[in-house]
Amino acid sequence: MGRDLSSRTFTREDRQRYRERMQRCMDALGTMLAEGSFSFPRQQMGLEIELNLVDRAGRPAMANTEVLEKIDDPSFTTELGRHNLEVNVPPRELAGDETLDLERELVSTLTSADDKAHDAGTSIVMIGVLPTLRHEHFDRRWLSPQPRYAVLNDRILAERGEEVALSISGEASPLPGRSGEKLSSFAESIMPEAACTSVQLHLQVAPDDFAAHWNAAQALAGVQVAIAANSPFLLGRALWHETRIPLFLQATDTRTQELKNQGVRPRVWFGERWITSIFDLFEENVRYFPALLPETGDEDPLDVLGAGGTPSLTELRLHNGTVWRWNRPVYDVVDGVPHLRVENRVLPSGPTVVDTMANAAFFYGAQRALTTADRPLWSQMSFQAAEENLYAGSRHGMNAQLYWPGTGWVPPDELVLRRLLPLAHEGLRDCGVSDEARERYLGVIEARCLTRRTGSQWQRDTVAMLEERGVDRDKALATMLARYVELMHAGEPVHTWPTTL
């Protein structure tokens, strides 16, 4: 979705040509997989972090164009909303001290960018959902000015044929006589999607290993989000611990209520089965989802492949960018050489760089250990259980009950401490990660589970404390966010943050 798109109206002929071209892309991909055409010299990781801009009062600052001009760094790009930025980290090896070097680079890069953002009267915030967003910030005029965002907005709304409906019921209150908070709202654009700011973890894998890595990522999604939740508030309501998960699904949903009732699949999708090849995922995308943006390029992928070249698979990649799987398959070409990646998309942004690195290390380590196990976890666990874990972890955070083979139903902190943390240590050692890096980042995960304090829990606790002092919700959210930003810049992991103000 990073490419520019035309804003013209698509015809029936466009759709037919696009469908035919996607089938040729699939045929080319199948041939490349059969012939072993992919590069895999070493295991590389990549990272994307989505960011928010706020003004001095903590409100969304619709100023990404001006801020990007001041930052003047090609690793920073726009995102859907004018209050969003994204920083892209070049791929690097996972082994050795690379993660420690990356942490230092990220701190330096984000600190420099924030200093320059101050020149535009804004600050950068790493958080899953900005708690000071209001309904007026979902207006279409706040889309970033690049044409692709307007095209995407128009196509999703055209497919849906009605307003975007937001309906989220929060976690039940632990206080007697108090039910959970609820949100019921509408938007006339897909701008609610811009409220969802995430971290995307990429891992380059060999074709034969892709299925195991994707299956492992799916199995881990629920516990990942439970121990890293950082998105409890939306439009003034305390909702899920990771409200970003249901919000993203609803903001991009092209289905009417009748289509939902028929069981039509949403474009934000967990999936429906364990896989045996990356081909399964692209095949599902083509089979189940109509084209949102049926724009074709000039390349015929089979002709390119027949001439000894590497096809870009333009149409297949564009289509893949409009099916928002929580673990997405990626086909990419760098310097004429194709490779495959698993893109993990369940994590929220923030709270700090070290928390982000810890989340990444836990994921990569546990994923690696699961892929090398004698008996695959997914042979012992239903796919539906993995999906239920995602939604339970998102809704309840550390209070969730997750299913895990051999353990049964267990809270995420206990599951991590007893089962997954030792696996993550084993996996990172197997990846060649240095002992210093492994102990630093997995030590953060251990301490977070022992204290049961995620970014979401800290935000909830801080707002509750302010409200007990008689502060109204809007003021409490703004005060909490100001303190959050201070602690974010101090850089200590969230489990150490105090809730006193």
Side-chain angles (χ1 to χ4, degrees), residues 149-434:
Y149 299 120
V151 173
L152 183 63
N153 177 81
D154 294 345
R155 292 303 309 145
I156 288 177
L157 293 181
E159 289 287 319
R160 184 180 176 85
E162 55 193 47
E163 295 174 309
V164 172
L166 304 178
S167 179
I168 305 173
S169 296
E171 184 186 36
S173 172
L175 299 177
R178 291 184 60 179
S179 59
E181 298 180 23
K182 296 182 179 181
L183 173 69
S184 181
S185 185
F186 293 89
E188 295 182 351
S189 76
I190 63 167
M191 272 298 290
E193 182 191 339
C196 307
T197 39
S198 65
V199 167
Q200 290 128 44
L201 304 177
H202 291 254
L203 186 69
Q204 183 177 342
V205 295
D208 289 346
D209 297 332
F210 184 92
H213 281 80
W214 188 85
N215 289 342
Q218 293 285 94
L220 289 168
V223 70
Q224 268 188 284
V225 76
I227 67 170
N230 197 32
S231 314
F233 293 101
L234 176 65
L235 300 184
R237 271 71 161 198
L239 301 171
W240 291 21
H241 278 262
E242 192 49 44
T243 303
R244 199 186 96 259
I245 298 296
L247 177 59
F248 192 66
L249 186 155
Q250 294 178 19
T252 56
D253 203 343
T254 57
R255 302 170 302 167
T256 62
Q257 186 59 52
E258 293 78 9
L259 291 177
K260 294 178 189 177
N261 295 340
Q262 294 173 37
V264 172
R265 298 160 181 83
R267 299 190 86 98
V268 173
W269 198 34
F270 187 76
E272 59 190 16
R273 61 189 175 108
W274 305 117
I275 65 166
T276 58
S277 167
I278 190 175
F279 193 87
D280 298 345
L281 300 178
F282 285 114
E283 188 176 45
E284 287 177 349
N285 288 356
V286 172
R287 182 189 307 130
Y288 295 144
F289 299 100
L292 269 185
L293 305 164
E295 187 162 284
T296 55
D298 297 327
E299 174 191 275
D300 185 303
L302 290 175
D303 288 348
V304 172
L305 196 60
T310 300
S312 63
L313 305 187
T314 302
E315 294 80 13
L316 193 67
R317 292 163 71 189
L318 176 59
H319 189 59
N320 191 49
T322 64
V323 180
W324 293 279
R325 293 177 181 269
W326 293 114
N327 285 291
R328 178 187 273 170
V330 177
Y331 168 92
D332 206 355
V333 180
V334 177
D335 297 328
V337 180
H339 70 264
L340 304 176
R341 303 196 303 270
V342 178
E343 180 188 10
N344 177 254
R345 301 166 52 83
V346 302
L347 291 170
S349 186
T352 65
V353 170
V354 69
D355 283 304
T356 299
M357 295 303 303
N359 293 338
F362 172 76
F363 171 70
Y364 288 134
Q367 181 190 40
R368 176 61 171 259
L370 291 179
T371 63
T372 57
D374 292 337
R375 184 183 177 192
L377 182 81
W378 39 98
S379 69
Q380 311 166 57
M381 180 181 188
S382 74
F383 194 84
Q384 290 69 32
E387 182 175 19
E388 289 170 8
N389 281 350
L390 172 65
Y391 293 111
S394 301
R395 184 165 191 170
H396 302 294
M398 290 287 190
N399 301 318
Q401 289 289 318
L402 307 180
Y403 176 77
W404 199 258
T407 301
W409 296 97
V410 62
D413 52 315
E414 184 179 339
L415 175 59
V416 170
L417 293 170
R418 286 175 51 193
R419 296 287 300 273
L420 296 182
L421 203 59
L423 285 179
H425 277 286
E426 175 189 324
L428 290 181
R429 277 191 291 263
D430 197 29
C431 290
V433 174
S434 71

Side-chain angles (χ1 to χ4, degrees), residues 48-187:
E48 301 170 68
I49 304 175
E50 295 171 351
L51 308 163
N52 287 279
L53 295 172
V54 297
D55 63 18
R56 291 183 175 89
R59 297 169 302 214
M62 305 299 179
N64 63 0
T65 300
E66 183 180 356
V67 170
L68 284 170
E69 289 175 355
K70 292 184 178 296
I71 294 175
D72 192 25
D73 181 341
S75 63
F76 285 83
T77 63
T78 58
E79 257 296 332
L80 179 67
R82 290 178 185 259
H83 66 287
N84 300 140
L85 299 175
E86 181 176 271
V87 59
N88 295 282
V89 176
R92 64 182 64 208
E93 288 190 59
L94 185 57
D97 286 332
E98 289 287 345
T99 51
L100 295 171
D101 293 340
L102 176 55
E103 180 188 349
R104 288 188 287 268
E105 289 176 23
L106 276 174
V107 169
S108 175
T109 297
L110 292 172
T111 300
S112 175
D114 190 59
D115 289 342
K116 294 173 182 176
H118 289 170
D119 295 339
T122 70
S123 297
I124 291 175
V125 185
M126 299 170 60
I127 196 167
V129 172
L130 194 62
T132 51
L133 283 165
R134 293 295 174 262
H135 191 270
E136 57 265 28
H137 300 127
F138 293 163
D139 192 279
R140 178 194 170 99
R141 72 182 186 276
W142 299 127
L143 289 167
S144 286
Q146 287 74 13
R148 65 179 178 270
Y149 299 120
V151 173
L152 183 63
N153 177 81
D154 294 345
R155 292 303 309 145
I156 288 177
L157 293 181
E159 289 287 319
R160 184 180 176 85
E162 55 193 47
E163 295 174 309
V164 172
L166 304 178
S167 179
I168 305 173
S169 296
E171 184 186 36
S173 172
L175 299 177
R178 291 184 60 179
S179 59
E181 298 180 23
K182 296 182 179 181
L183 173 69
S184 181
S185 185
F186 293 89

Side-chain angles (χ1 to χ4, degrees), residues 445-471:
I445 297 297
E446 180 179 16
R448 194 190 300 162
C449 289
L450 289 170
T451 59
R452 306 187 88 243
R453 175 167 293 173
T454 61
S456 174
Q457 194 61 57
W458 182 90
Q459 291 183 56
R460 284 173 174 261
D461 291 346
T462 302
V463 168
M465 180 198 64
L466 290 165
E467 290 182 330
E468 287 171 3
R469 296 178 183 177
V471 179

